Amino acid sequence: DLGRFFATRGYVFVSQDVRGRYDSGGEFHAFVNETRDGYDSHEWASTQSWSNGKVGTYGNSYVGLTQLLPSFLGNPHLEAMIPLVTTTDVYNNWMYSDGAFQLGFSLSWGGILIDGRVNQSVTPYDWPKLFENASSKAIQAAGRRVPHYDECVNHPTLDDYWKSIMMDDHRRVQAPAMFVGGWYDIFLRGMIQDYLELVEAAASKGTQSDHKLIIGPWVHG
């Protein structure tokens, strides 16, 4: 339906699965490959015979993150992006919150839902029992082996591991962004911060008004 919506309005619509997920080859490792892979995707799309060289992106949650991360590499073909209910702050608004590991979210999403090529069901678990475990033990209690979950648990501070993943110099972003968030969304704090930092970075170029922020009475998604 989304492809039809854009195609009937004159756009070529490209849908991509990230590395190691669904129909894409390779091995999935949350957060790690999205910056460079996204840049390469922009480059590929912009040089196809059906392309005018201009690329716009759209997506929510993790797919919103896969828009934002490569935008920091400044591909000149990226003209606009619409990240919904997401943030680049994968340390302090995804896996941790002010230094506390977000077990409720990190285990269900990062440890179970995205464990594998396709999404896994999170319903057949005794969640009160799982949450009795320490964060490092909860994944084993759930019967899962997820390298990126273990890595997140083993890096409780904003160290070089996180800094190698996160892109935080918003001055490098050239494309205008229209953020769409919800007042009850789990990533709202980080999204507002991303927006404010982009606006501040654009001040020297006089392009603050290029970035937009819409927040409505919604939860995540």
Coordinates of all heavy atoms in Angstrom, one line a residue, residues 34-73:
E34 N 24.2 -0.1 9.8 CA 23.2 0.7 9.1 C 23.7 2.0 8.5 O 23.2 2.4 7.5 CB 22.0 0.9 10.1 CG 21.6 -0.2 11.0 CD 21.3 -1.5 10.3 OE1 21.5 -1.6 9.1 OE2 20.9 -2.5 11.0
T35 N 24.7 2.5 9.2 CA 25.2 3.8 8.7 C 25.8 3.7 7.3 O 25.4 4.4 6.3 CB 26.3 4.4 9.6 OG1 25.7 4.6 10.9 CG2 26.8 5.7 9.2
R36 N 26.8 2.8 7.1 CA 27.5 2.6 5.8 C 26.6 2.0 4.8 O 26.5 2.4 3.6 CB 28.7 1.8 6.0 CG 29.5 1.5 4.8 CD 29.8 2.7 3.9 NE 30.6 3.6 4.6 CZ 31.0 4.8 4.0 NH1 30.6 5.1 2.8 NH2 31.8 5.6 4.7
D37 N 25.8 1.0 5.2 CA 24.9 0.3 4.3 C 23.8 1.3 3.8 O 23.5 1.3 2.6 CB 24.2 -0.9 5.0 CG 25.1 -2.1 5.2 OD1 26.2 -2.0 4.7 OD2 24.6 -3.0 5.8
G38 N 23.3 2.2 4.6 CA 22.4 3.2 4.2 C 22.9 4.1 3.2 O 22.3 4.5 2.2
Y39 N 24.2 4.5 3.4 CA 24.9 5.4 2.5 C 25.0 4.8 1.1 O 24.7 5.4 0.1 CB 26.2 5.8 3.0 CG 27.0 6.8 2.1 CD1 27.0 8.1 2.3 CD2 27.8 6.3 1.1 CE1 27.7 9.0 1.5 CE2 28.5 7.1 0.2 CZ 28.4 8.5 0.5 OH 29.1 9.3 -0.4
D40 N 25.4 3.5 1.1 CA 25.5 2.8 -0.1 C 24.2 2.6 -0.8 O 24.1 2.7 -2.1 CB 26.1 1.4 0.1 CG 27.6 1.4 0.6 OD1 28.2 2.5 0.4 OD2 28.1 0.4 1.1
S41 N 23.1 2.5 -0.1 CA 21.8 2.4 -0.7 C 21.4 3.7 -1.3 O 20.8 3.7 -2.4 CB 20.7 2.0 0.4 OG 21.0 0.7 0.9
H42 N 21.7 4.8 -0.7 CA 21.4 6.1 -1.3 C 22.1 6.2 -2.6 O 21.6 6.7 -3.6 CB 21.8 7.2 -0.4 CG 21.1 7.2 0.9 ND1 21.6 7.9 2.1 CD2 19.9 6.7 1.3 CE1 20.8 7.7 3.1 NE2 19.8 7.0 2.6
E43 N 23.4 5.8 -2.6 CA 24.2 5.9 -3.8 C 23.7 5.1 -4.9 O 23.6 5.5 -6.1 CB 25.7 5.5 -3.4 CG 26.7 6.0 -4.4 CD 26.9 7.5 -4.5 OE1 26.5 8.2 -3.6 OE2 27.3 8.0 -5.6
W44 N 23.3 3.9 -4.6 CA 22.8 2.9 -5.6 C 21.5 3.5 -6.2 O 21.4 3.5 -7.4 CB 22.5 1.6 -5.0 CG 21.8 0.6 -5.9 CD1 22.5 -0.2 -6.8 CD2 20.4 0.4 -6.0 NE1 21.5 -0.9 -7.5 CE2 20.3 -0.6 -7.1 CE3 19.3 0.9 -5.4 CZ2 19.0 -1.0 -7.5 CZ3 18.1 0.5 -5.8 CH2 17.9 -0.5 -6.8
A45 N 20.6 3.9 -5.4 CA 19.3 4.4 -5.9 C 19.4 5.6 -6.7 O 18.7 5.8 -7.7 CB 18.3 4.7 -4.7
S46 N 20.4 6.5 -6.4 CA 20.5 7.7 -7.1 C 21.2 7.6 -8.5 O 21.1 8.5 -9.3 CB 21.4 8.7 -6.3 OG 22.7 8.2 -6.1
T47 N 21.8 6.4 -8.7 CA 22.5 6.2 -10.0 C 21.8 5.2 -10.9 O 22.3 4.9 -12.0 CB 23.9 5.7 -9.7 OG1 23.8 4.5 -8.9 CG2 24.7 6.7 -8.9
Q48 N 20.6 4.8 -10.6 CA 19.8 3.9 -11.4 C 19.2 4.7 -12.6 O 19.0 5.9 -12.5 CB 18.7 3.2 -10.7 CG 19.2 2.4 -9.5 CD 20.3 1.4 -10.0 OE1 20.0 0.5 -10.8 NE2 21.5 1.5 -9.4
S49 N 19.0 4.0 -13.7 CA 18.5 4.6 -14.9 C 17.1 5.3 -14.7 O 16.8 6.3 -15.4 CB 18.3 3.6 -16.0 OG 17.5 2.5 -15.7
W50 N 16.3 4.8 -13.7 CA 15.0 5.4 -13.5 C 15.1 6.5 -12.5 O 14.0 7.1 -12.1 CB 14.1 4.3 -13.0 CG 14.6 3.3 -12.1 CD1 15.0 2.0 -12.4 CD2 15.0 3.5 -10.7 NE1 15.5 1.4 -11.3 CE2 15.5 2.2 -10.2 CE3 14.9 4.5 -9.8 CZ2 15.9 2.0 -8.9 CZ3 15.3 4.3 -8.5 CH2 15.8 3.1 -8.0
S51 N 16.3 6.9 -12.0 CA 16.4 7.9 -10.9 C 16.8 9.2 -11.5 O 17.5 9.3 -12.5 CB 17.4 7.4 -9.9 OG 17.7 8.4 -8.9
N52 N 16.3 10.3 -10.9 CA 16.7 11.6 -11.2 C 17.9 12.1 -10.3 O 18.3 13.3 -10.3 CB 15.6 12.6 -11.1 CG 15.0 12.8 -9.7 OD1 15.5 12.1 -8.8 ND2 14.1 13.7 -9.5
G53 N 18.4 11.2 -9.5 CA 19.5 11.5 -8.6 C 19.1 12.0 -7.3 O 20.0 12.3 -6.5
K54 N 17.8 12.1 -7.0 CA 17.4 12.6 -5.7 C 16.7 11.5 -4.9 O 15.8 10.8 -5.5 CB 16.4 13.8 -5.9 CG 17.0 15.0 -6.6 CD 16.0 16.1 -6.8 CE 16.6 17.3 -7.5 NZ 15.6 18.4 -7.7
V55 N 17.1 11.4 -3.7 CA 16.6 10.3 -2.8 C 15.9 10.9 -1.6 O 16.4 11.8 -0.9 CB 17.7 9.4 -2.4 CG1 17.2 8.3 -1.4 CG2 18.4 8.7 -3.6
G56 N 14.7 10.4 -1.3 CA 14.0 10.7 0.0 C 13.7 9.4 0.7 O 13.6 8.3 0.1
T57 N 13.7 9.5 2.0 CA 13.5 8.3 2.8 C 12.4 8.4 3.8 O 12.0 9.5 4.2 CB 14.8 7.9 3.6 OG1 15.2 9.0 4.5 CG2 16.0 7.6 2.7
Y58 N 11.8 7.3 4.2 CA 10.6 7.3 5.1 C 10.6 6.0 5.9 O 11.0 4.9 5.3 CB 9.4 7.3 4.2 CG 8.1 7.2 4.9 CD1 7.4 8.4 5.3 CD2 7.5 6.0 5.1 CE1 6.1 8.3 5.9 CE2 6.3 5.9 5.8 CZ 5.6 7.0 6.2 OH 4.4 6.9 6.8
G59 N 10.2 6.1 7.1 CA 10.1 4.8 7.9 C 10.1 5.2 9.4 O 10.4 6.3 9.8
N60 N 9.6 4.2 10.2 CA 9.4 4.4 11.6 C 10.2 3.5 12.5 O 10.7 2.4 12.0 CB 7.9 4.3 12.0 CG 7.4 2.8 11.9 OD1 7.6 2.2 10.9 ND2 6.8 2.4 12.9
S61 N 10.5 3.9 13.7 CA 11.2 3.0 14.7 C 12.6 2.7 14.2 O 13.4 3.6 13.9 CB 10.4 1.8 15.0 OG 10.8 1.2 16.2
Y62 N 12.9 1.4 14.1 CA 14.3 1.0 13.7 C 14.5 1.5 12.2 O 15.6 1.9 11.9 CB 14.5 -0.5 13.8 CG 15.9 -0.9 13.7 CD1 16.8 -0.8 14.7 CD2 16.4 -1.3 12.4 CE1 18.1 -1.2 14.6 CE2 17.7 -1.7 12.3 CZ 18.6 -1.7 13.4 OH 19.9 -2.0 13.3
V63 N 13.4 1.5 11.4 CA 13.6 1.9 10.0 C 13.7 3.4 10.0 O 14.3 4.0 9.0 CB 12.4 1.5 9.2 CG1 12.5 1.8 7.8 CG2 12.2 -0.1 9.4
G64 N 13.3 4.1 11.0 CA 13.6 5.6 11.1 C 15.1 5.8 11.5 O 15.7 6.7 10.9
L65 N 15.6 4.9 12.3 CA 17.0 5.0 12.7 C 17.9 4.7 11.5 O 18.9 5.4 11.3 CB 17.3 4.0 13.8 CG 18.8 3.9 14.2 CD1 19.2 5.2 14.9 CD2 19.0 2.7 15.1
T66 N 17.5 3.8 10.6 CA 18.3 3.5 9.4 C 18.2 4.7 8.4 O 19.0 4.7 7.5 CB 17.8 2.2 8.7 OG1 16.4 2.3 8.3 CG2 17.9 1.0 9.7
Q67 N 17.3 5.6 8.6 CA 17.3 6.8 7.8 C 18.4 7.8 8.4 O 19.2 8.4 7.6 CB 16.0 7.5 7.8 CG 14.9 6.8 7.1 CD 13.6 7.7 7.2 OE1 13.5 8.7 6.6 NE2 12.7 7.2 8.1
L68 N 18.3 8.0 9.7 CA 19.1 9.0 10.3 C 20.6 8.7 10.3 O 21.4 9.6 10.0 CB 18.6 9.2 11.7 CG 17.2 9.9 11.9 CD1 16.7 9.8 13.3 CD2 17.2 11.3 11.4
L69 N 20.9 7.5 10.7 CA 22.4 7.2 10.8 C 23.1 7.5 9.5 O 24.2 8.2 9.6 CB 22.6 5.7 11.2 CG 22.2 5.4 12.7 CD1 22.4 3.9 13.0 CD2 23.0 6.3 13.7
P70 N 22.7 7.0 8.3 CA 23.5 7.3 7.1 C 23.5 8.8 6.7 O 24.4 9.2 6.0 CB 22.9 6.4 6.0 CG 21.5 6.1 6.5 CD 21.6 6.1 8.0
S71 N 22.5 9.5 7.2 CA 22.4 10.9 6.8 C 23.6 11.7 7.4 O 24.0 12.8 6.8 CB 21.1 11.6 7.3 OG 21.1 11.8 8.7
F72 N 24.2 11.2 8.4 CA 25.4 11.9 9.0 C 26.6 11.8 8.1 O 27.6 12.5 8.2 CB 25.8 11.3 10.3 CG 24.8 11.7 11.4 CD1 23.6 11.1 11.6 CD2 25.2 12.8 12.3 CE1 22.7 11.5 12.6 CE2 24.3 13.2 13.3 CZ 23.1 12.5 13.5
L73 N 26.6 10.9 7.1 CA 27.7 10.8 6.1 C 27.6 11.8 5.0 O 28.5 11.9 4.1 CB 27.8 9.3 5.6 CG 28.1 8.3 6.6 CD1 28.2 6.9 6.0 CD2 29.3 8.6 7.5

